[in-house]
Amino acid sequence: VEASIPEPQRKAWLAHQTSGFKDKDGFETEVVRHVETTLARSMYNCDEQAAYSACSLAFRDRLILEWNRTQQRQTFADSKRVYYLSLEFLMGRALDNAMLNIGQKDVAKAGLAELGFRIEDVIEQEHDAALGNGGLGRLAACFLDSLASLNYSAWGYGLRYRYGIFKQEIIDGYQVEVPDYWLDFNPWEFPRHDVTVDIQFYGHVTKRTDDNGKTIATWEGGEIVKAVAYDVPIPGYATPSTNNLRLWSSKAASGEFDFQKFNSGDYENSVADQQRAETISAVLYPNDNLDRGKELRLKQQYFWVAASLYDIVRRFKKSRRAWKEFPDQVAIQLNDTHPTLAVVELQRILVDLEGLDWEEAWNIVTNTFGYTNHTVLPEALEKWSVPLFQHLLPRHLQLIYDINLFFLQSVERKFPKDREMLARVSIIEESQPKMVRMAHLAIVGSHKVNGVAELHSDLIKTTIFKDFVEVFGPDKFTNVTNGITPRRWLHQANPRLSELISSKTGSQNFLKDLTELAKIEHYKDDKAFRKEWAEIKYANKVRLAKHIKKTTGVDVNPSALFDVQVKRIHEYKRQQMNIFGVIHRYLTLKSLSPEERKKFQPRVSIFGGKAAPGYWMAKQIIHLINAVGAVVNNDKDIGDLLKVIFLEDYNVSKAEMIIPASDLSEHISTAGTEASGTSNMKFVLNGGLIIGTCDGANIEITREIGEQNIFLFGNLAEDVEDIRHNHTYGSYTVDPDLVKVFEAIEKGTFGEPNDFMGMISAVRDHGDFYLVSDDFHSYIETQELVDKAYRDQEGWVTKSIESVARMGFFSSDRCINEYAEGIWNIEPLAVKDQ
Ligand code: GPK
């Protein structure tokens, strides 16, 4: 690298090559320089916002040097790269993470203190980068952290939404959505106005035959939109490796600004064209586990996929290798089916633009892609109507038909005369209108398909993708259980716990190898250790109690059991069962004498999470939680025995405060519906216990930490289908305790009963699809076991320590290593320490 720097620039370059601050003075100098020059402000009126900006710019400068070196190192090594394609990257805040990963938070803390700032207040100034909905988007963010920390050559590719997930306000107990305009000042991105790709939409296809009798298809006409790259540096933890997340932003192509219109005075329309182009990357679709089939969403998908593939292919071509080596140089992971068009686009590039034979091209394609499935819920499986495809991407539709034809021919050879099988596995659903099944396309176009927890990976093989196991054999389908980054979810979110752990493990190495947590189990009977352990949890609860007071006005007692359910609001996640359980608890308390009440374990039930704006039932659930809170929290008979809190606008940065403060968290989805869950891992890693169903990763968590350390309840996945069948075709009665809950609601205990009838009749009159009534008794009983266990504080602390000690498996580092070995066939790049 150094040798390639031209002599005149060499001296200046060498002087520039230091990627850390020498000491706090060095850091302060940089902060002051940024305040006074970059921000053009004076230190006399430097407020916390300016301090945040300058501090971020100072760290960004350091990051960018390592980012450059990492990219050069990867280019020179000329080894295989992995590309993680995700429509969502739920990154949260960057500054704290950058300081910790670089290892200079102490320096910054001291420097900021000298300048008159508390580092916590400065960190708080940052707006979350919320380019995702929930678990799927946050998983992508954890993966980026692990890929960089483990020194893999990896890029993330996504969309640079102008508006991330909406901000949630609770007004009179109802969710109100407010747009999240987050780009006002974002020091963490670098616009690359020189890295652009023209993306085509609409138009038509012409075919001609060349001299060799080969058919050449050309996609012509339509409109062009420009994709502009914005790069976000991703620092690894305790390594100089800094990877790149490239986000595409849409812009009118230069030729598109219609000067004809402009000159003829039709200025407004020429501006409208411009805005239409920019609309593509304007908003994140706010649905979680739901596909709505909107045209603009398909445009987003193709825009992002086409720009990313152009970029990837351009990089490959620089290596001047033969096409057949493409899969040795490139692995592309499809985060759910959202980027599945990449399969078709790569085939189009190879066949239409590069002139490869179909077979050779298809071999390259299938060896390049891997597909991760994140849900079995039918309403979440993406389908696009054929007429929409025909209109927007006519050449891609033809290619899909060809891919499907060759695929079905191969199926027919294996299962002659099985028409039903052909219809079931076809990429095209023969409905009215016909639909393209994206999951089928993703399976056919990939060499590996994985689920995200053991149960889920088994389920996809036995239910939604059963036929494909017969067609391709079982080895194509595999499991990679999800993980979380311990850097953000322990070290950053819970610094005191991280500190205590490192004092016992002897170093911070557990943050790089989470299995080292096992060492703390030796201290589980150590008095001082246990005391410190309990004090840390208490302090975290005090901090959350302050936040609750500030944002809701409600006083909660930090000594009460904090029972937390924070995640997207969804019927399958069953927040309705939780709030029905809370009502049951309230009715029980009301029925007791003041003396009997005193024996009760005080609890704070804490909820948080966004409902998709169009999800009526989810919004009703939020409303009921708030309505119950309004009654319970003001009932003099109840006092501190029960409080019900809904925390507004749950997001990544709030999660970092809430998770370390929980005693118990709820992961209570109907068995077989939650693919994995990842917050379950975060809560346990922070010393909280779980009440949960035998679903997703709860099962593997139980296996690791031991049955005595988790509160499992409810029906099993294998029984759900029969129970549902019985609801529909047999008869069922609602659990008697739940009937009493319904009666209380219908009496108007929590306000206008009609506001909540949807939730009640879903259980009572519409087949109780999510088995709320079937699991209710078991849930209530298990909650009583929780109360009892919590009253034994010493026993509880033992459970907490044992659980944390046994969580090593759930690091996203382990998870990424499994992808690297089993799917991507890629090894880390050696990095010499500076
Ligand atoms: C799954 F299908 C989807 C989706 O649209 N959004 C989403 O966040 C989640 N997911 C699953 O619901 C979780 O169980 C899982 O842990 C997470 O993806 C990551 O795999």
Side-chain angles (χ1 to χ4, degrees):
V1 178
E2 225 190 291
S4 62
I5 311 278
E7 205 47 51
Q9 287 107 342
R10 221 179 133 77
K11 214 175 111 210
W13 180 81
L14 280 169
H16 188 60
Q17 294 306 299
T18 161
S19 50
F21 305 105
K22 275 199 199 71
D23 49 24
K24 72 173 186 323
D25 294 337
F27 167 76
E28 280 176 59
T29 307
E30 286 299 285
V31 169
V32 171
R33 181 174 71 78
H34 278 299
V35 169
E36 300 209 317
T37 59
T38 319
L39 305 175
R41 292 175 68 146
S42 123
M43 282 310 288
Y44 292 107
N45 70 358
C46 176
D47 56 11
E48 280 170 353
Q49 183 61 47
Y52 158 72
S53 303
C55 183
S56 298
L57 290 165
F59 270 95
R60 184 183 85 162
D61 289 345
R62 296 1 278 167
L63 272 190
I64 227 60
L65 292 176
E66 289 303 352
W67 182 89
N68 267 324
R69 285 183 209 162
T70 305
Q71 296 317 309
Q72 283 166 2
R73 197 160 53 234
Q74 293 178 1
T75 304
F76 281 103
D78 197 28
S79 52
K80 188 168 182 175
R81 281 197 179 90
V82 55
Y83 297 102
Y84 198 78
L85 267 57
S86 180
L87 256 195
E88 305 190 7
F89 287 95
L90 196 44
M91 304 295 284
R93 289 180 175 148
L95 175 59
D96 201 2
N97 182 244
M99 294 190 297
L100 288 169
N101 279 17
I102 292 177
Q104 293 211 302
K105 190 172 177 180
D106 292 346
V107 172
K109 185 174 177 170
L112 285 169
E114 267 190 8
L115 296 170
F117 297 100
R118 283 185 46 208
I119 195 167
E120 295 79 13
D121 300 333
V122 172
I123 288 168
E124 283 283 314
Q125 298 304 310
E126 184 172 353
H127 198 113
D128 276 34
L131 307 186
N133 276 286
L136 174 148
R138 182 55 230 177
L139 185 75
C142 283
F143 281 6
L144 293 182
D145 184 77
S146 284
L147 285 163
S149 299
L150 296 168
N151 304 309
Y152 285 105
S153 301
W155 285 51
Y157 275 106
L159 276 183
R160 178 181 179 269
Y161 302 109
R162 197 148 19 105
Y163 297 92
I165 188 66
F166 62 85
K167 193 172 152 16
Q168 177 193 55
E169 289 183 6
I170 301 297
I171 297 179
D172 299 331
Y174 291 94
Q175 167 174 301
V176 174
E177 299 97 25
V178 179
D180 167 51
Y181 184 79
W182 68 292
L183 289 170
D184 252 353
F185 175 76
N186 178 10
W188 303 104
E189 63 172 15
F190 289 82
R192 302 282 191 200
H193 293 294
D194 54 329
V195 181
T196 65
V197 187
D198 283 348
I199 308 295
Q200 184 178 4
F201 290 104
Y202 309 107
H204 58 271
V205 181
T206 54
K207 286 190 175 168
R208 63 181 175 85
T209 314
D210 73 0
D211 302 341
N212 305 319
K214 201 170 149 186
T215 310
I216 310 286
T218 316
W219 178 21
E220 297 164 327
E223 66 176 54
I224 305 287
V225 177
K226 196 178 278 301
V228 183
Y230 285 71
D231 288 344
V232 182
I234 307 294
Y237 172 75
T239 168
S241 290
T242 304
N243 281 342
N244 193 29
L245 168 61
R246 178 157 285 179
L247 302 176
W248 298 105
S249 181
S250 62
K251 224 179 109 161
S254 37
E256 288 293 285
F257 188 79
D258 194 333
F259 283 95
Q260 211 74 47
K261 281 184 194 158
F262 182 78
N263 289 331
S264 65
D266 197 0
Y267 179 66
E268 274 176 39
N269 276 321
S270 71
V271 173
D273 287 348
Q274 186 118 347
Q275 285 181 339
R276 215 157 52 86
E278 288 175 16
T279 301
I280 293 181
S281 60
V283 288
L284 166 78
Y285 276 89
N287 302 312
D288 183 84
N289 269 289
L290 179 72
D291 169 47
R292 305 256 299 200
K294 288 278 207 292
E295 172 168 352
L296 182 60
R297 168 86 167 185
L298 186 59
K299 276 187 107 163
Q300 288 188 334
Q301 293 185 349
Y302 181 65
F303 171 81
W304 150 62
V305 151
S308 305
L309 266 182
Y310 186 90
D311 215 37
I312 292 166
V313 168
R314 169 166 64 189
R315 202 166 296 125
F316 171 78
K317 281 181 152 185
K318 279 196 200 154
S319 75
R320 311 186 142 276
R321 289 166 190 262
W323 281 113
K324 68 171 182 346
E325 290 179 58
F326 192 82
D328 305 327
Q329 290 296 102
V330 175
I332 303 178
Q333 193 63 24
L334 306 173
N335 195 24
D336 214 287
T337 55
H338 316 149
T340 304
L341 273 170
V343 167
V344 191
E345 178 69 0
L346 183 56
Q347 183 72 1
R348 185 182 78 87
I349 291 170
L350 296 176
V351 173
D352 289 1
L353 307 182
E354 301 292 339
L356 271 66
D357 287 342
W358 182 275
E359 274 301 322
E360 193 190 354
W362 188 243
N363 246 318
I364 291 168
V365 168
T366 52
N367 283 312
T368 298
F369 289 100
Y371 157 51
T372 305
N373 171 278
H374 294 268
T375 184
V376 295
L377 299 186
E379 66 270 29
L381 299 180
E382 281 193 298
K383 289 177 192 177
W384 293 105
S385 97
V386 165
L388 174 59
F389 245 105
Q390 170 65 45
H391 180 56
L392 191 67
L393 300 165
R395 178 58 185 148
H396 294 78
L397 184 63
Q398 291 177 347
L399 289 163
I400 289 171
Y401 270 106
D402 289 343
I403 292 168
N404 197 36
L405 178 71
F406 295 129
F407 167 61
L408 292 180
Q409 283 172 348
S410 76
V411 176
E412 175 127 58
R413 282 194 292 276
K414 195 158 178 191
F415 302 93
K417 304 214 180 74
D418 192 345
R419 311 278 327 156
E420 310 265 279
M421 169 70 108
L422 292 181
R424 287 199 305 271
V425 298
S426 175
I427 294 168
I428 305 295
E429 178 183 278
E430 297 294 329
S431 47
Q432 211 34 272
K434 291 185 186 176
M435 304 291 268
V436 182
R437 297 159 161 164
M438 299 307 268
H440 292 201
L441 181 55
I443 295 170
V444 173
S446 302
H447 66 286
K448 285 277 180 193
V449 177
N450 76 285
V452 290
E454 278 178 19
L455 173 69
H456 169 66
S457 297
D458 286 344
L459 280 174
I460 61 179
K461 283 201 274 184
T462 51
T463 63
I464 54 175
F465 302 150
K466 184 169 182 268
D467 295 315
F468 290 94
V469 175
E470 297 209 17
V471 170
F472 291 111
D475 293 349
K476 177 159 178 165
F477 295 83
T478 179
N479 172 248
V480 185
T481 298
N482 281 166
I484 57 170
T485 170
R487 272 76 64 178
R488 182 174 295 256
W489 297 112
L490 179 52
H491 192 45
Q492 181 176 322
N494 204 341
R496 271 185 74 185
L497 190 62
S498 180
E499 176 76 40
L500 177 61
I501 291 168
S502 61
S503 77
K504 296 301 178 198
T505 60
S507 75
Q508 296 198 329
N509 201 49
F510 70 97
L511 294 168
K512 294 221 94 167
D513 174 7
L514 201 61
T515 61
E516 282 198 18
L517 280 177
K519 293 182 185 169
I520 67 168
E521 199 157 341
H522 301 308
Y523 299 89
K524 74 177 171 193
D525 298 320
D526 178 319
K527 270 225 172 78
F529 179 72
R530 293 170 62 87
K531 183 159 171 278
E532 175 81 4
W533 190 271
E535 276 172 15
I536 291 169
K537 178 61 77 181
Y538 187 80
N540 290 332
K541 289 168 73 177
V542 169
R543 179 172 63 157
L544 178 57
K546 282 193 186 133
H547 175 80
I548 291 173
K549 176 69 180 174
K550 197 172 97 195
T551 53
T552 68
V554 180
D555 283 299
V556 300
N557 181 354
S559 300
L561 188 164
F562 278 20
D563 167 346
V564 183
Q565 189 177 17
V566 283
K567 49 182 85 228
R568 288 298 290 252
I569 312 292
H570 209 296
E571 284 163 285
Y572 87 80
K573 295 178 190 281
R574 297 202 292 191
Q575 284 93 352
Q576 72 277 43
M577 188 166 77
N578 186 343
I579 193 64
F580 291 154
V582 170
I583 295 173
H584 173 266
R585 179 171 287 258
Y586 175 64
L587 299 176
T588 308
L589 282 167
K590 290 294 272 185
S591 71
L592 298 177
S593 70
E595 274 313 300
E596 290 171 315
R597 264 180 216 147
K598 284 200 190 117
K599 293 184 212 138
F600 242 74
Q601 171 57 47
R603 255 197 210 230
V604 183
S605 278
I606 299 164
F607 294 82
K610 293 172 186 178
Y615 193 168
W616 175 81
M617 188 72 89
K619 290 184 151 180
Q620 189 165 109
I621 295 171
I622 291 175
H623 185 202
L624 179 60
I625 295 167
N626 283 300
V628 171
V631 171
V632 173
N633 299 343
N634 295 303
D635 189 326
K636 294 278 175 309
D637 294 345
I638 301 299
D640 274 353
L641 289 175
L642 182 60
K643 292 282 184 238
V644 183
I645 304 296
F646 190 93
L647 290 173
E648 196 173 72
D649 199 40
Y650 179 61
N651 61 12
V652 171
S653 57
K654 293 204 176 82
E656 289 168 27
M657 167 182 52
I658 296 166
I659 291 171
S662 102
D663 295 306
L664 180 78
S665 65
E666 309 223 6
H667 306 275
I668 57 177
S669 49
T670 311
T673 62
E674 189 72 276
S676 161
T678 44
S679 76
N680 43 6
M681 303 167 190
K682 295 166 195 168
F683 279 101
V684 179
L685 188 60
N686 283 279
L689 305 193
I690 282 182
I691 182 166
T693 45
C694 296
D695 202 16
N698 290 355
I699 297 172
E700 287 150 87
I701 291 174
T702 306
R703 188 158 72 211
E704 293 292 313
I705 70 177
E707 273 181 60
Q708 73 283 12
N709 294 325
I710 188 165
F711 299 93
L712 291 177
F713 73 95
N715 283 286
L716 301 180
E718 54 199 274
D719 299 322
V720 168
E721 205 184 282
D722 286 348
I723 297 170
R724 277 186 186 151
H725 184 90
N726 204 41
H727 288 177
T728 315
Y729 300 103
S731 66
Y732 70 102
T733 54
V734 175
D735 177 90
D737 282 326
L738 191 53
V739 169
K740 287 186 201 137
V741 169
F742 291 171
E743 282 166 3
I745 296 172
E746 290 181 302
K747 262 195 341 211
T749 314
F750 308 105
E752 174 55 51
N754 283 326
D755 289 357
F756 312 117
M757 285 316 287
M759 295 170 64
I760 294 180
S761 49
V763 173
R764 199 174 50 195
D765 316 316
H766 297 128
D768 190 16
F769 189 76
Y770 296 102
L771 278 60
V772 171
S773 173
D774 304 88
D775 283 347
F776 195 67
H777 185 70
S778 168
Y779 178 59
I780 295 300
E781 268 187 351
T782 307
Q783 287 287 21
E784 285 164 14
L785 292 180
V786 169
D787 287 335
K788 207 167 139 220
Y790 193 75
R791 256 177 265 132
D792 170 15
Q793 275 295 304
E794 289 303 323
W796 190 275
V797 171
T798 303
K799 289 178 192 296
S800 169
I801 296 170
E802 276 184 7
S803 301
V804 175
R806 301 171 186 181
M807 282 297 285
F809 179 76
F810 298 98
S811 170
S812 46
D813 294 347
R814 183 271 313 153
C815 180
I816 283 298
N817 281 327
E818 286 183 20
Y819 277 98
E821 190 177 328
I823 298 176
W824 303 332
N825 191 24
I826 169 181
E827 279 174 13
L829 203 64
V831 178
K832 270 189 261 125
D833 279 334
Q834 304 137 294

